[in-house]
Amino acid sequence: MSDLPTPDQQSHPHPHPFPHPRRRAVLSGAFVLGAGAVLGSGLSGNAWAAAAAGPVISGCAAWRARPPSAPVKLLPTAPHKIIVHHTATANSTDYTQEHAFALSRSIQAYHMDDNGWIDSGQHFTISRGGWITEGRHSSVAALGAGTQQVESAHCTGQNTVAVGIENEGTYTTVDPRSAQYAKLVDLCAYICRQYGLRPYQIFGHRDFNNTNCPGDRLYAMLPQLRADVAARTGGDPGWTAWSTARVGDSGERVRSLQYLLNSRGSSLTVDGSFGPATESAVRAFQTTNRASVDGVAGNQTWHQLVNPVRRGAQGDPVKALQSQLNAHGQALVVDGSFGSGTEAGVRAFQTSATLPVDGVADARTWNRLLVQTG
């Protein structure tokens, strides 16, 4: 069974509130967890010790999850971002663990029975009462190990590269409860520590797909969330808005856009001129990734196009990077091969832009490159 949403479900990942917990899913007893414990996660040895350093997370066994309808895929790579969601359900005043467990069963039932997914789409859920539960099976174990991730279904175009966190409630006009927000900070800080992520790599669902999620109020809190996580993990949480590219534009930013679109299946002439063919390719890419379809390369389009590029990489994304670095004063051969020279160029740019200097072109390095070129 494919673990991808149907086109309509992809366009509206939260089409209506999750149904009330089914009678057969009501939990008759509660589990009491000690600080740092992970219940029902199947961890052992070093993975258990690593997980114990994080917040309390109730595993799938604790909330009596159904087994997946097909094997859950464990990817060989770690994620490079966190995506925050809200469930678009009622803002419950039941803050008990029993309610959190029932919510997790309800979400899983909706995702499996209505969406046709193999399991819950998200990796983790935080209830209004501040209880954290595992979503998709094996997510806690992968997080505890810190080197792999579970393929998910929470955000079209990002399900192999991002950890998804659902926050119970609807945060269009109200803020999350303080207890819930505190657990979101705890969980994000732990994820960042485990996977070596930086606080600026925390985003909202609407940064990628055409959706209101995670609600205007929770989305507006993301800069504070990044800052609060940075206070725990270190680093600069700042993020700069992406520059746009549209019909009639020309220059290095358009050239990068064309290279990146070609890496995703387009066959554009890379000439730095944003004409009808480039607009058509942008619209096609936006449609595939459930972004707002307007033919303009803006926030969602760049977020979906840009992935970290590091030494050993090959192809059009590297050409885009090399061409950008040349526009910033380097003298690289644009050959699509990320070797020592390209790494040195990235480090030099990161130094000049006061970014973390690691030689990896992550989202913020790309962001600064694109913002500073026409």
Side-chain angles (χ1 to χ4, degrees):
M1 179 188 300
S2 173
D3 194 27
L4 293 176
T6 66
D8 183 61
Q9 289 160 343
Q10 286 180 317
S11 298
H12 305 283
H14 305 282
H16 55 73
F18 296 120
H20 292 296
R22 305 180 181 196
R23 290 184 182 273
R24 63 179 171 79
V26 174
L27 186 65
S28 59
F31 293 87
V32 179
L33 305 183
V38 181
L39 183 60
S41 63
L43 298 181
S44 61
N46 292 336
W48 179 276
V56 175
I57 305 174
S58 296
C60 289
W63 56 267
R64 297 184 182 175
R66 292 158 56 179
S69 61
V72 169
K73 186 175 181 180
L74 185 63
L75 302 171
T77 55
H80 48 76
K81 67 191 71 167
I82 298 169
I83 299 178
V84 175
H85 303 257
H86 70 175
T87 61
T89 54
N91 292 329
S92 175
T93 56
D94 186 344
Y95 307 140
T96 65
Q97 190 180 59
E98 291 92 333
H99 170 78
F101 286 1
L103 172 73
S104 291
R105 290 192 296 271
S106 178
I107 292 173
Q108 186 191 39
Y110 178 69
H111 284 179
M112 294 180 71
D113 299 339
D114 291 75
N115 286 3
W117 301 347
I118 65 169
D119 197 0
S120 299
Q122 77 286 0
H123 296 95
F124 303 102
T125 306
I126 306 176
S127 75
R128 295 260 300 162
W131 300 99
I132 306 174
T133 55
E134 182 178 38
R136 181 153 294 201
H137 284 74
S138 300
S139 295
V140 171
L143 176 58
T147 57
Q148 296 178 289
Q149 64 183 310
V150 171
E151 185 174 12
S152 56
H154 63 93
C155 180
T156 304
Q158 299 296 310
N159 291 318
T160 61
V161 295
V163 175
I165 303 174
E166 286 279 5
N167 293 272
E168 180 191 11
T170 300
Y171 299 112
T172 303
T173 59
V174 299
D175 293 342
R177 295 183 68 244
S178 58
Q180 184 179 30
Y181 176 77
K183 292 299 183 180
L184 178 59
V185 174
D186 289 346
L187 181 58
C188 287
Y190 179 52
I191 293 169
C192 286
R193 287 195 299 268
Q194 288 298 102
Y195 288 125
L197 302 182
R198 299 185 174 108
Y200 59 74
Q201 294 166 302
I202 300 172
F203 302 103
H205 189 181
R206 67 174 65 178
D207 287 321
F208 303 90
N209 297 157
N210 184 19
T211 175
N212 290 325
C213 180
D216 291 348
R217 296 291 283 270
L218 181 51
Y219 185 76
M221 295 174 69
L222 293 185
Q224 184 62 50
L225 175 62
R226 296 183 188 113
D228 290 339
V229 172
R232 307 272 190 93
T233 63
D236 175 8
W239 180 263
T240 303
W242 294 100
S243 296
T244 59
R246 64 186 72 229
V247 171
D249 288 349
S250 61
E252 195 58 43
R253 188 179 303 129
V254 177
R255 191 184 307 276
S256 293
L257 175 65
Q258 292 166 332
Y259 273 127
L260 293 172
L261 286 169
N262 284 349
S263 76
R264 301 298 187 92
S266 297
S267 54
L268 297 168
T269 299
V270 180
D271 58 5
S273 179
F274 199 131
T278 300
E279 182 184 20
S280 178
V282 169
R283 288 182 178 275
F285 180 78
Q286 290 169 333
T287 300
T288 298
N289 288 280
R290 307 301 168 188
S292 299
V293 181
D294 58 8
V296 177
N299 185 53
Q300 293 175 352
T301 302
W302 289 119
H303 271 307
Q304 290 280 12
L305 276 173
V306 169
N307 284 321
V309 182
R310 67 190 72 226
R311 189 164 183 170
Q314 302 283 332
D316 283 326
V318 180
K319 290 180 181 179
L321 175 62
Q322 291 167 329
S323 188
Q324 274 287 345
L325 290 170
N326 286 347
H328 287 83
Q330 304 293 319
L332 301 170
V333 175
V334 181
D335 59 3
S337 181
F338 196 131
S340 58
T342 301
E343 182 177 6
V346 172
R347 288 179 179 274
F349 175 77
Q350 290 171 331
T351 299
S352 68
T354 63
L355 296 169
V357 180
D358 58 6
V360 178
D362 68 356
R364 195 161 67 157
T365 299
W366 276 110
N367 177 277
R368 296 290 176 83
L369 284 166
L370 292 163
V371 165
Q372 294 178 20
T373 57

